[in-house]
Amino acid sequence: MDDHEQGYFTEENSAEVVIGRNKNAGDARLKEVMAVITRKLHEAVKEIEPTQKEWFEAIMFLTRTGQMCTDWRQEFILLSDTLGVSMLVDAINHRKPAGASESTVLGPFYVHDAPELPLGSNICLDHKGEDMVISGIVRDTAGRPIPNVKLDVWQTNDDGFYDVQQKGLQPDFNLRGVFRTDEAGRYWFRAVKPRFYPIPDDGPVGQLLGKLGRHPFRPAHLHFIISGDGFETLTTHIFDPDDRYIDSDAVFGVKKSLLAKFEKIDDPERARQFAFANPFWETKFDFVLAPEKKG
Ligand code: BEZ
Ligand code: FE
């Protein structure tokens, strides 16, 4: 019998001893996941060789991360986001066929019950910011427009906060809405030009970013969840390519294919039609949905 089968722990066989101890796990997936995590974690500890003080600091960082969590604040998700793990899990789970629009992180500020609105509605209820009209077509991978597709959209206000971060200060459902494409697959609505904003950075994750010489900002974007019968639901954003943080998103959410064009329009007649001040902003962005996976 080898040492690790008896369970005697040494620096050399540490991972094998721990993995061997889990041999009776009833759940095969859990057993596999714990074996990989144990192996990689022990490998990291062996490479880092932390002092007792450093290890305690790491434990206290995770403790503070847990203590920061409330119904409205999920500091562990922020940690996953800023380590790039949320985007990696998203990429693994949303491999798309050629031509389909790419996904990106959901983020913590989605709400399930935003109002369904007629096409063209203005979702900006606090009357702050620069007017913007957004339009496009949703198609399948063969290029056919898809009618009756649901687009759930949300963005921050001009101060860089979502309505749920400023309950009582912003109107409920400010800059949120659910739209459905018309018979030609078209959608359009009115909003404001999005701005860059910081992820919540007053907790341990924000402190870690500071120590790493990183900023907490996300480049300006609009969120979309797009769903239609027979299609894979797409969770994504469109981004302003001219934003100063476009190359350094704190959560690694930017993909080249999600860069939209934000155009400044100086046209008093069109502005009047949209009930906008002149000039205003216009962006057009088409989406392509992948077919639903069978089975
Ligand atoms: C967001 O875009 O809403 C977001 C994503 C990840 C972390 C924080 C905010
Ligand atoms: Fe966001």
Side-chain angles (χ1 to χ4, degrees):
M1 197 182 280
D2 292 341
D3 278 356
H4 72 266
E5 287 175 34
Q6 291 177 341
Y8 296 136
F9 189 100
T10 68
E11 186 176 329
E12 289 70 32
N13 72 6
S14 63
E16 286 72 32
V17 171
V18 176
I19 292 167
R21 196 69 64 83
N22 298 337
K23 65 175 182 294
N24 296 326
D27 181 331
R29 176 70 171 160
L30 176 68
K31 189 172 165 182
E32 181 201 351
V33 167
M34 289 310 294
V36 174
I37 289 177
T38 304
R39 208 175 303 120
K40 304 281 182 192
L41 186 59
H42 283 232
E43 201 179 294
V45 171
K46 284 173 189 181
E47 188 173 338
I48 296 165
E49 297 194 341
T51 62
Q52 296 286 158
K53 184 167 170 285
E54 285 172 332
W55 186 239
F56 186 67
E57 273 174 29
I59 302 264
M60 288 317 291
F61 170 77
L62 292 175
T63 304
R64 287 193 301 278
T65 299
Q67 286 167 340
M68 197 75 199
C69 294
T70 65
D71 284 352
W72 283 107
R73 177 74 178 257
Q74 232 303 353
E75 195 75 358
F76 276 111
I77 296 184
L78 276 189
L79 182 58
S80 156
D81 294 341
T82 53
L83 290 174
V85 177
S86 303
M87 278 302 288
L88 183 56
V89 173
D90 183 72
I92 289 166
N93 284 280
H94 298 102
R95 294 178 184 127
K96 302 280 183 193
S101 298
E102 293 190 283
S103 60
T104 189
V105 276
L106 173 67
F109 300 119
Y110 173 64
V111 304
H112 292 270
D113 52 353
E116 182 147 353
L117 302 168
L119 286 173
S121 298
N122 194 339
I123 58 173
C124 178
L125 308 179
D126 66 357
H127 309 294
K128 290 181 177 177
E130 300 173 84
D131 295 322
M132 182 165 98
V133 59
I134 304 137
S135 62
I137 297 179
V138 183
R139 295 191 172 88
D140 65 15
T141 48
R144 292 175 296 236
I146 321 172
N148 202 32
V149 165
K150 185 171 147 190
L151 297 102
D152 203 333
V153 305
W154 69 105
Q155 66 168 94
T156 55
N157 77 346
D158 199 52
D159 298 326
F161 292 102
Y162 289 93
D163 57 350
V164 291
Q165 293 176 287
Q166 292 192 314
K167 280 182 175 290
L169 270 180
Q170 289 189 39
D172 287 347
F173 301 118
N174 188 31
L175 291 159
R176 292 180 191 274
V178 175
F179 298 95
R180 284 191 184 269
T181 54
D182 67 11
E183 68 293 339
R186 288 177 301 222
Y187 76 89
W188 78 281
F189 59 94
R190 290 171 295 153
V192 289
K193 186 165 190 281
R195 292 165 52 106
F196 65 82
Y197 66 88
I199 61 169
D201 66 340
D202 55 345
V205 171
Q207 283 161 9
L208 178 63
L209 291 183
K211 285 186 180 170
L212 293 172
R214 284 170 58 178
H215 67 70
F217 294 102
R218 298 215 63 207
H221 59 270
L222 280 100
H223 291 257
F224 290 81
I225 298 178
I226 307 179
S227 52
D229 281 349
F231 296 93
E232 217 179 273
T233 297
L234 171 68
T235 299
T236 197
H237 309 353
I238 60 174
F239 290 92
D240 178 357
D242 299 322
D243 190 283
R244 75 174 78 165
Y245 296 112
I246 200 68
D247 295 324
S248 60
D249 183 359
V251 304
F252 306 97
V254 180
K255 292 178 176 173
K256 201 171 172 200
S257 68
L258 301 178
L259 303 181
K261 195 164 160 226
F262 290 72
E263 215 181 331
K264 197 165 203 169
I265 308 291
D266 185 356
D267 183 337
E269 177 51 26
R270 281 191 76 210
R272 201 186 53 76
Q273 284 167 9
F274 291 133
F276 281 171
N278 190 59
F280 62 96
W281 292 88
E282 178 165 40
T283 186
K284 296 181 180 167
F285 201 88
D286 294 347
F287 295 97
V288 177
L289 297 186
E292 202 164 44
K293 289 193 183 98
K294 300 271 182 290

